[in-house]
Amino acid sequence: MAGAGDAAKEYVAGSVAGIAQVVVGHPFDTVKVKLQAHNTTAYGKVYKNAFHCTSRILLEEGIRGLYKGASSSFIGIAVESSLFFGTYSQAKQLLQGNYEDGRPHLQVIIPSAASSGALISCILTPTELTKCRMQVQGKDVMHGARYSSPLDCAVKTLESDGLRGLFRGGLATLFREAIGNAVFFCTYEYSRYWMHKYLDSPRFSSSSHFILAKDIGIGVMSGGISGMAFWTATLPLDVAKTIIQTNPDPHLSRNPFRILSMVYKRAGMGGCYAGLGPTLTRAFPANAAAIVAWEYSAKILGIKRV
């Protein structure tokens, strides 16, 4: 198990990864949330596709419209990623003790990633609730309060629904994070291992320029692929979460599986995967940026990656 100094460095590296992820991925996330909130209602589709949604936002709200709710995301994701990557690294080191061969092991990765994901769902639920409610606002909004900022949204939610209101959608977030992050880190660890095994062979150059390019390339590919795997596995749960958090009906069920059943009856399988295009488009660059930032922050801080 790493000492307190290395543990602290892991949390710092995780927060850097989260900030990089928000900078690259938030505009795609705004489009995804708009599609999930407005294309799954009984009134029919508001947007034809992701491109139509993006163009509407830019025409009506400008570039700032794509970054609605970003301030809560920066704060939430920085803290969340710090805990997420830090807890995963610490749990992995604890469980890795019985495996000294340097290979990834599902027995280590899955519990480390799932427990880390479950932990951060407690932080993600209120930050994503304010983010999503800010994102769905616009000229196309049909009902609900108008919020001037994420803080205003949080205060109004507390006033109307109490503390419980801020954690609306918590069960869907818990399932999404526990399942999705197990998928994410399994994909990341195995793809990273096999790419390193191939590119570290004697047939390739050992120059410092090649090593730098190789490490960045592996980080980009393993991070991007892992992000796409995460969202492919969990997008229906994310659709349910968005509906639970943005629907103004106080009596709406908070059971994500009941919500998905309702969406399926209204919009079919396409409704359960609303926002798939911008989500996967965002997943590759955002998670590639997060992984490269995480790995290089760790390297600068002197943390050795297994």
Short mmCIF file of all heavy atoms in Angstrom, two decimals, residues 42-66:
data_model
loop_
_atom_site.label_atom_id
_atom_site.label_comp_id
_atom_site.label_asym_id
_atom_site.label_seq_id
_atom_site.Cartn_x
_atom_site.Cartn_y
_atom_site.Cartn_z
N ALA A 42 -43.88 12.75 -23.82
CA ALA A 42 -45.10 12.34 -24.53
C ALA A 42 -45.46 13.33 -25.64
O ALA A 42 -46.32 13.05 -26.47
CB ALA A 42 -46.26 12.24 -23.53
N TYR A 43 -44.79 14.49 -25.69
CA TYR A 43 -45.09 15.52 -26.68
C TYR A 43 -44.36 15.29 -28.00
O TYR A 43 -44.55 16.03 -28.95
CB TYR A 43 -44.71 16.91 -26.15
CG TYR A 43 -45.39 17.24 -24.84
CD1 TYR A 43 -44.68 17.14 -23.64
CD2 TYR A 43 -46.71 17.65 -24.80
CE1 TYR A 43 -45.29 17.44 -22.43
CE2 TYR A 43 -47.33 17.95 -23.60
CZ TYR A 43 -46.62 17.84 -22.42
OH TYR A 43 -47.22 18.13 -21.22
N GLY A 44 -43.50 14.28 -28.06
CA GLY A 44 -42.74 14.03 -29.28
C GLY A 44 -41.36 14.65 -29.21
O GLY A 44 -40.97 15.27 -28.22
N LYS A 45 -40.59 14.49 -30.28
CA LYS A 45 -39.22 14.97 -30.32
C LYS A 45 -39.15 16.47 -30.57
O LYS A 45 -39.84 17.01 -31.42
CB LYS A 45 -38.43 14.24 -31.41
CG LYS A 45 -38.17 12.78 -31.11
CD LYS A 45 -37.25 12.17 -32.18
CE LYS A 45 -36.89 10.75 -31.82
NZ LYS A 45 -35.95 10.15 -32.80
N VAL A 46 -38.29 17.13 -29.80
CA VAL A 46 -38.03 18.56 -30.00
C VAL A 46 -36.91 18.75 -31.02
O VAL A 46 -36.94 19.68 -31.83
CB VAL A 46 -37.66 19.23 -28.66
CG1 VAL A 46 -37.23 20.69 -28.87
CG2 VAL A 46 -38.82 19.15 -27.68
N TYR A 47 -35.92 17.86 -31.00
CA TYR A 47 -34.76 17.97 -31.89
C TYR A 47 -34.70 16.78 -32.85
O TYR A 47 -34.98 15.64 -32.46
CB TYR A 47 -33.46 18.00 -31.08
CG TYR A 47 -33.43 19.09 -30.04
CD1 TYR A 47 -33.53 18.79 -28.68
CD2 TYR A 47 -33.31 20.43 -30.41
CE1 TYR A 47 -33.49 19.79 -27.72
CE2 TYR A 47 -33.28 21.43 -29.45
CZ TYR A 47 -33.38 21.10 -28.11
OH TYR A 47 -33.35 22.10 -27.17
N LYS A 48 -34.33 17.04 -34.09
CA LYS A 48 -34.22 15.98 -35.08
C LYS A 48 -33.04 15.06 -34.79
O LYS A 48 -33.12 13.84 -34.97
CB LYS A 48 -34.06 16.58 -36.48
CG LYS A 48 -35.25 17.42 -36.93
CD LYS A 48 -34.95 18.08 -38.27
CE LYS A 48 -36.09 19.01 -38.68
NZ LYS A 48 -35.79 19.74 -39.94
N ASN A 49 -31.94 15.66 -34.39
CA ASN A 49 -30.72 14.90 -34.11
C ASN A 49 -29.76 15.79 -33.32
O ASN A 49 -30.09 16.94 -32.99
CB ASN A 49 -30.06 14.41 -35.41
CG ASN A 49 -29.91 15.52 -36.43
OD1 ASN A 49 -29.50 16.64 -36.10
ND2 ASN A 49 -30.25 15.25 -37.69
N ALA A 50 -28.57 15.26 -33.04
CA ALA A 50 -27.59 16.00 -32.25
C ALA A 50 -27.14 17.28 -32.95
O ALA A 50 -26.94 18.33 -32.31
CB ALA A 50 -26.38 15.12 -31.93
N PHE A 51 -26.97 17.21 -34.27
CA PHE A 51 -26.53 18.39 -35.01
C PHE A 51 -27.59 19.49 -34.94
O PHE A 51 -27.27 20.68 -34.76
CB PHE A 51 -26.25 18.02 -36.47
CG PHE A 51 -25.80 19.18 -37.31
CD1 PHE A 51 -24.50 19.66 -37.23
CD2 PHE A 51 -26.69 19.83 -38.18
CE1 PHE A 51 -24.07 20.73 -38.00
CE2 PHE A 51 -26.28 20.91 -38.94
CZ PHE A 51 -24.97 21.36 -38.85
N HIS A 52 -28.87 19.11 -35.07
CA HIS A 52 -29.96 20.08 -34.98
C HIS A 52 -29.99 20.72 -33.59
O HIS A 52 -30.16 21.94 -33.46
CB HIS A 52 -31.30 19.37 -35.26
CG HIS A 52 -32.49 20.27 -35.15
ND1 HIS A 52 -33.63 19.90 -34.48
CD2 HIS A 52 -32.71 21.53 -35.62
CE1 HIS A 52 -34.51 20.89 -34.53
NE2 HIS A 52 -33.99 21.89 -35.22
N CYS A 53 -29.80 19.90 -32.56
CA CYS A 53 -29.78 20.40 -31.19
C CYS A 53 -28.63 21.38 -30.99
O CYS A 53 -28.82 22.47 -30.43
CB CYS A 53 -29.65 19.23 -30.21
SG CYS A 53 -29.61 19.71 -28.48
N THR A 54 -27.45 21.03 -31.47
CA THR A 54 -26.27 21.89 -31.33
C THR A 54 -26.48 23.23 -32.03
O THR A 54 -26.17 24.30 -31.48
CB THR A 54 -25.02 21.20 -31.89
OG1 THR A 54 -24.84 19.94 -31.25
CG2 THR A 54 -23.77 22.05 -31.66
N SER A 55 -27.01 23.17 -33.25
CA SER A 55 -27.21 24.40 -34.02
C SER A 55 -28.24 25.30 -33.35
O SER A 55 -28.10 26.54 -33.33
CB SER A 55 -27.63 24.08 -35.46
OG SER A 55 -28.85 23.37 -35.49
N ARG A 56 -29.29 24.70 -32.76
CA ARG A 56 -30.30 25.49 -32.04
C ARG A 56 -29.68 26.20 -30.84
O ARG A 56 -29.96 27.38 -30.58
CB ARG A 56 -31.43 24.57 -31.58
CG ARG A 56 -32.43 24.17 -32.65
CD ARG A 56 -33.56 25.19 -32.81
NE ARG A 56 -34.36 25.30 -31.60
CZ ARG A 56 -35.39 24.51 -31.31
NH1 ARG A 56 -35.73 23.52 -32.13
NH2 ARG A 56 -36.08 24.69 -30.21
N ILE A 57 -28.85 25.48 -30.10
CA ILE A 57 -28.21 26.07 -28.93
C ILE A 57 -27.32 27.24 -29.35
O ILE A 57 -27.36 28.32 -28.76
CB ILE A 57 -27.37 25.03 -28.17
CG1 ILE A 57 -28.28 23.95 -27.58
CG2 ILE A 57 -26.56 25.69 -27.05
CD1 ILE A 57 -27.54 22.75 -27.01
N LEU A 58 -26.51 27.04 -30.39
CA LEU A 58 -25.59 28.08 -30.84
C LEU A 58 -26.34 29.30 -31.37
O LEU A 58 -25.95 30.44 -31.11
CB LEU A 58 -24.65 27.52 -31.92
CG LEU A 58 -23.59 26.53 -31.42
CD1 LEU A 58 -22.86 25.91 -32.60
CD2 LEU A 58 -22.61 27.23 -30.48
N LEU A 59 -27.42 29.08 -32.11
CA LEU A 59 -28.19 30.19 -32.68
C LEU A 59 -28.91 30.98 -31.59
O LEU A 59 -28.99 32.21 -31.65
CB LEU A 59 -29.20 29.66 -33.69
CG LEU A 59 -28.65 29.25 -35.07
CD1 LEU A 59 -29.73 28.55 -35.87
CD2 LEU A 59 -28.14 30.48 -35.81
N GLU A 60 -29.48 30.29 -30.61
CA GLU A 60 -30.31 30.94 -29.61
C GLU A 60 -29.54 31.41 -28.37
O GLU A 60 -29.94 32.38 -27.72
CB GLU A 60 -31.43 29.98 -29.17
CG GLU A 60 -32.39 29.65 -30.32
CD GLU A 60 -33.37 28.55 -29.95
OE1 GLU A 60 -33.31 28.06 -28.81
OE2 GLU A 60 -34.20 28.19 -30.80
N GLU A 61 -28.44 30.72 -28.04
CA GLU A 61 -27.75 31.03 -26.79
C GLU A 61 -26.25 31.30 -26.97
O GLU A 61 -25.59 31.73 -26.01
CB GLU A 61 -27.94 29.89 -25.80
CG GLU A 61 -29.39 29.55 -25.51
CD GLU A 61 -29.54 28.28 -24.71
OE1 GLU A 61 -29.05 28.28 -23.56
OE2 GLU A 61 -30.12 27.30 -25.21
N GLY A 62 -25.73 31.01 -28.15
CA GLY A 62 -24.30 31.20 -28.38
C GLY A 62 -23.46 30.10 -27.76
O GLY A 62 -23.99 29.13 -27.21
N ILE A 63 -22.14 30.26 -27.81
CA ILE A 63 -21.23 29.25 -27.30
C ILE A 63 -21.41 29.03 -25.80
O ILE A 63 -21.20 27.93 -25.29
CB ILE A 63 -19.76 29.64 -27.61
CG1 ILE A 63 -18.82 28.46 -27.36
CG2 ILE A 63 -19.34 30.86 -26.81
CD1 ILE A 63 -18.96 27.33 -28.32
N ARG A 64 -21.86 30.08 -25.09
CA ARG A 64 -22.07 29.94 -23.64
C ARG A 64 -23.16 28.92 -23.34
O ARG A 64 -23.15 28.29 -22.28
CB ARG A 64 -22.44 31.29 -23.03
CG ARG A 64 -21.30 32.30 -23.02
CD ARG A 64 -21.72 33.61 -22.39
NE ARG A 64 -22.07 33.45 -20.98
CZ ARG A 64 -22.54 34.43 -20.21
NH1 ARG A 64 -22.72 35.64 -20.73
NH2 ARG A 64 -22.83 34.21 -18.96
N GLY A 65 -24.10 28.76 -24.28
CA GLY A 65 -25.17 27.78 -24.08
C GLY A 65 -24.65 26.36 -23.98
O GLY A 65 -25.24 25.52 -23.29
N LEU A 66 -23.55 26.09 -24.68
CA LEU A 66 -22.96 24.75 -24.63
C LEU A 66 -22.24 24.49 -23.32
O LEU A 66 -21.94 23.33 -22.98
CB LEU A 66 -21.98 24.56 -25.80
CG LEU A 66 -22.60 24.47 -27.19
CD1 LEU A 66 -21.51 24.46 -28.26
CD2 LEU A 66 -23.48 23.22 -27.32
#
